[in-house]
Amino acid sequence: MDVLDLARWQFGITTVVHFFFVPFTISMAFLVAIMQSVWMRTKSERWLRLTKFFGKLLLINLAVGVVTGLVQEFQFGMNWSDFSRFVGDVFGAPLAMEALLAFYLESVFVGVWIFGWGRIPPKIHLATIWVTAFGTLLSAYFILAANSFMQHPVGYEINEEAGRAELTDIWAVLTNKVLLVTFPHTIFAAFMVGGGVVAAVAMWHLIRGARNPEDAEPGAPSDRGAFRTALRIGAVTVLVGGIGVAVSGDFQGKVMTEVQPMKMAAAEALYETQQPAPFSLFTIGTLDGSEAIYSIEVPQLLSFLGTGSFDGKVEGINDLQAQYEEEFGPGDYSPNIPVTYWTFRMMITMGGLAGLIALWQLWATRRGRVPTSPWALRVTAVLPLLPLAGNALGWIFTEMGRQPWLVFGLMPTASGISPSTTARTVFISLAAFTVLYAGLTWLWVHLLVKHARPGLPDVAPPPPPAEGDDADKPLSFAY
């Protein structure tokens, strides 16, 4: 591989791994805030135990996720300095807002939430987790604003003398039409991840308790009731998130067809313009994706997804290639067709399967029932992985479908690489980051399983110290 391929692989690996943590953090912060709010209102110990149990999983995810995100910043300077120089004036604004506003809101207030149990008034303590949750939303919005500029650049002008894009309208960047449809789609997908984690952990404890009632510890009946409640919260969150993903994805498809028609054509491997255009559910084709050998199609569906009309025209790859050659000069302006085609379908499949499992969980636990078969445990274990994989596949499609552009219509990917970077240095850092990220992922999974396995924590107040006892007071929070 040359330096460009290695740099792209490095950025792809680190970004996809980092994004495992992002949807978990966004959704779990809100779910924990909701649980604590219900506890504040009802004073039921069940909700306090759920809050602390899932709150600890949130903190583990947040801690490891921050470490994986640090590498993202370094790569812009190490491997993509020309890209950073070209878009830095535009990129800098939303990324600075994310760091100075959103990230500080998250980090400061989650710290107050961790150490504030029993130390600050309960209502103020509750407010800290809500501020943390909304901080994650702000963080996502500003980062997506920067990414949306890469998909559909707005609010800038090209300084020919400096050879770079310069910001002229921050409001245009923050209201980019791509951003306005991508943000809700990303957030709904994130809630499918958090809901899947809550539902899977709760279902695992219910099944374990039903299969091994003799292992029940004191207070286990209360645990079963709490986990049944958590299961319903998680499963409903998956279903609501799935509906939101489908609706927002419909809007997103139409905007994508408008501003990046090549990406939509690549998602269907549509080489010739058609009106109306079908959507293929499954295709066996040549290795380069240029010719279909066997295909199962839904007539007119792609036209509706792309234009809102079942009779709409969808431009094909060949016609768009000719247009781009006339506009931008000679070159290949189509992305990797097999990758865009299959990631698009796998993304949809993962979300659909997650929704079906959530429906099954609600049905299987109705009226006090709990399934005990081995396959029920296997299906439960798969649930959180499906939306997690769907999120990753969605971003692979988004970024691969934009190729060969770093900034659509302005900067080709090959032009953004650092001029002094060599294949050897990128390979060394790629190997190091891959090993590091593999280790962090293992640590993440290990800690989540370790702290999810024991069940709900004991929240009984500690006994008062004996008279004259000078021992330190118990910590409000400790691993």
Side-chain angles (χ1 to χ4, degrees), residues 131-193:
V131 173
T132 300
F134 279 104
T136 66
L137 283 188
L138 279 176
S139 183
Y141 192 88
F142 291 132
I143 290 174
L144 288 173
N147 182 267
S148 296
F149 179 83
M150 298 169 68
Q151 315 292 337
H152 177 55
V154 294
Y156 74 98
E157 64 179 15
I158 299 295
N159 184 326
E160 298 292 349
E161 184 177 346
R164 64 197 298 256
E166 295 183 349
L167 182 66
T168 59
D169 188 350
I170 184 60
W171 184 247
V173 173
L174 296 178
T175 57
N176 189 332
K177 65 174 68 177
V178 173
L179 170 62
L180 296 181
V181 293
T182 300
F183 177 71
H185 190 68
T186 303
I187 300 306
F188 280 122
F191 272 93
M192 293 188 72
V193 174

Side-chain angles (χ1 to χ4, degrees), residues 285-307:
T286 56
L287 290 178
D288 62 358
S290 61
E291 184 178 349
I293 299 173
Y294 173 77
S295 182
I296 302 174
E297 297 181 340
V298 179
Q300 301 180 310
L301 183 56
L302 185 66
S303 290
F304 178 78
L305 293 175
T307 68

